[in-house]
Amino acid sequence: METKNLGFNSKLIHSGQFHDEFGSATVPIYQTSTFSFRNADHGAACFAGEDDGFIYTRLGNPTIGALEDAVSDLENGYKGIATASGMGAVTSVYFGMLGAGAHMVAHNAVYGPSRMVMETLFKKFGAESTWVDATDAQNVIDAIQDNTKLIYLETPANPTMGITDIEAVVKIAHDKGIPVCVDNTFSSPYLQKPLDLGVDIVLHSMTKFINGHADIVAGMVVTKTEKYYSEIRGAMMNIGSNMDPHQAYLVLRGLKTLAIRIERAQANAMKVANYLEAHPKIEWVKYPGLKSHPQYELAKKQMNGPGSMISFEVKGGLKAGKILMDNVHLALLAVSLGGVETLIQHPASMTHSKIPKADREKAHITDGLVRLAIGIEDVEDIIADIDQALAKI
Ligand code: LCS
């Protein structure tokens, strides 16, 4: 069915869905590595791109294709490229867009491995990167070089919750002919649509909100137009970062409740953020729904809601933060986010530990920063859990 003009909630249920010859209500799992051709000419036509028949699951598969179409539709994009993980999406973009002698300007607070893979592996192959505080667009302008081939943003950023003015950066970049990529993991297309704000490439760790149930890892890239699509898809297929059909099926299932899960988690997060901000043992809280967030107005302008990720620091820094993390019972002390359960973790020693301390500090990832991913439990229970743990300090 044509879904382009449907509302977001209707798209969540119907985009990408097809019904097989038995009239199945959900997209079946095509658990096959390869597809037989009708005859030799058909096989040749599939390889030549003259027939859109499936060839081999690393290159494409009906279940995976349904998910690619669904997420692309939700992001108002051209086409999706599903990947084995969020890092598969990040590296497919790097491989597709950069090469020896190419330079990338990026926000300095991003998911740790998204930065470290650039500064280690891609550096070995001759690609350079400059990491700046992109919450001030001037810093992005100042870092652009003649060989800059990509501007890479993550907003809200993991784990600082810093917010970049997407439209301002797109304007600067496009004036110089440079494409912009946004990692939209923290918002999902429900809360933010970077492609509508002029961005060229959007990516997700679908391990998080899009799948939403903490039971698989998965990623997705969506491009705004045909430009850049083939390069990134080619990279994904050749490095073998493809998704598995069973994984695609699970994400298709989780995706349907994206909006109602986010609404609930976000309402909970607003209450938790208010609770933390009023607590005498808390030094600071960063949540885009709080007026105290430095980009509160910008968040209201470019996002449809502040989401459910909160960063904060307990008075007494890391030592006090550890007491909190060691004493929660309902919240799991675990990395990841965007699932139905509340998680707490310590970026400096966990998700961002591979980034040198000096670079972490420049990016405002302090040693005392604690990150909460709020789930959809009863908010009274989440707050009671944090409250009893804070009382131990
Ligand atoms: N982008 C962002 C913003 C992320 O938060 C993550 C994972 C990735 C990309 C990579 O995705 P993955 O390969 O894990 O699917 N973030 C994690 C985090 O904050 N804790 O554990 C994983």
Side-chain angles (χ1 to χ4, degrees):
M1 125 181 227
E2 180 53 52
T3 51
K4 283 269 175 279
N5 297 320
L6 293 179
F8 193 88
N9 291 286
S10 305
K11 281 188 177 185
L12 283 176
I13 309 303
H14 296 289
S15 290
Q17 296 285 324
F18 63 84
H19 308 286
D20 68 3
E21 72 266 35
F22 303 110
S24 68
T26 61
V27 173
I29 310 171
Y30 287 87
Q31 195 70 44
T32 181
S33 58
T34 195
F35 298 83
S36 60
F37 305 119
R38 290 192 297 276
N39 51 47
D41 282 346
H42 177 225
C46 288
F47 270 91
E50 292 152 7
D51 186 298
D52 59 9
F54 290 100
I55 298 172
Y56 185 61
T57 282
R58 177 160 50 75
L59 313 181
N61 172 290
T63 318
I64 300 168
L67 179 61
E68 290 172 332
D69 290 349
V71 178
S72 170
D73 205 20
L74 294 166
E75 288 282 10
N76 296 329
Y78 166 67
K79 276 185 186 171
I81 304 159
T83 53
S85 66
M87 283 313 297
V90 172
T91 52
S92 293
V93 168
Y94 292 171
F95 273 119
M97 302 297 292
L98 304 169
H103 173 252
M104 176 174 99
V105 178
H107 184 48
N108 58 9
V110 295
Y111 175 55
S114 302
R115 177 166 178 168
M116 290 323 290
V117 73
M118 192 67 214
E119 293 195 309
T120 54
L121 183 65
F122 283 85
K123 195 172 166 192
K124 275 207 303 206
F125 293 98
E128 302 165 30
S129 54
T130 306
W131 302 80
V132 298
D133 182 353
T135 62
D136 180 348
Q138 185 62 40
N139 293 332
V140 176
I141 303 181
D142 294 346
I144 290 174
Q145 303 177 177
D146 290 344
N147 58 342
T148 303
K149 300 287 183 219
L150 182 67
I151 293 181
Y152 184 88
L153 305 174
E154 198 181 287
T155 176
N158 185 356
T160 59
M161 301 306 293
I163 292 175
T164 297
D165 187 335
I166 296 176
E167 281 179 307
V169 171
V170 164
K171 185 168 183 323
I172 296 161
H174 286 183
D175 281 351
K176 295 181 183 290
I178 306 166
V180 179
C181 174
V182 168
D183 182 333
N184 200 26
T185 297
F186 269 35
S187 296
S188 92
Y190 183 57
L191 296 180
Q192 178 169 275
K193 291 191 188 59
L195 301 183
D196 288 356
L197 300 173
V199 162
D200 306 275
I201 303 158
V202 65
L203 69 86
H204 288 277
S205 166
M206 300 198 299
T207 314
K208 314 297 176 338
F209 292 98
I210 291 183
N211 178 59
H213 292 76
D215 48 10
I216 49 138
V217 292
M220 181 71 76
V221 180
V222 179
T223 62
K224 188 180 175 79
T225 62
E226 201 280 327
K227 205 173 172 188
Y228 313 122
Y229 173 79
S230 312
E231 286 293 306
I232 299 170
R233 181 153 203 108
M236 179 283 288
M237 295 191 309
N238 288 317
I239 60 178
S241 252
N242 59 286
M243 180 172 277
D244 176 84
H246 189 255
Q247 209 182 352
Y249 168 81
L250 285 172
V251 184
L252 278 165
R253 188 167 74 156
L255 178 66
K256 291 181 185 171
T257 54
L258 177 72
I260 55 175
R261 282 187 282 106
I262 289 190
E263 283 295 344
R264 170 62 174 252
Q266 177 171 261
N268 284 354
M270 191 69 235
K271 288 184 182 154
V272 174
N274 279 322
Y275 158 82
L276 288 171
E277 197 163 54
H279 199 290
K281 288 186 182 167
I282 299 296
E283 188 73 47
W284 55 261
V285 184
K286 270 277 214 71
Y287 178 64
L290 290 176
K291 289 214 173 73
S292 58
H293 190 290
Q295 292 98 31
Y296 172 75
E297 291 300 332
L298 173 61
K300 273 214 303 205
K301 186 177 133 228
Q302 77 181 17
M303 298 168 71
N304 297 325
S308 52
M309 297 298 296
I310 303 172
S311 64
F312 64 101
E313 190 161 331
V314 183
K315 281 182 187 156
L318 177 57
K319 199 162 163 247
K322 270 189 178 163
I323 300 174
L324 165 70
M325 288 184 281
D326 286 347
N327 284 284
V328 287
H329 305 305
L330 180 120
L332 296 179
L333 177 55
V335 299
S336 203
L337 57 115
V340 289
E341 55 286 285
T342 296
L343 306 177
I344 193 165
Q345 71 112 359
H346 177 236
S349 69
M350 297 175 187
T351 47
H352 294 71
S353 56
K354 299 287 185 293
I355 299 174
K357 187 174 161 77
D359 287 334
R360 278 204 308 267
E361 277 171 2
K362 263 192 229 153
H364 310 293
I365 307 168
T366 57
D367 279 350
L369 187 155
V370 175
R371 193 189 75 183
L372 264 174
I374 301 297
I376 64 169
E377 301 95 336
D378 288 301
V379 71
E380 296 75 17
D381 293 331
I382 300 171
I383 291 175
D385 186 39
I386 298 169
D387 200 58
Q388 61 79 29
L390 283 174
K392 305 258 164 61
I393 297 167

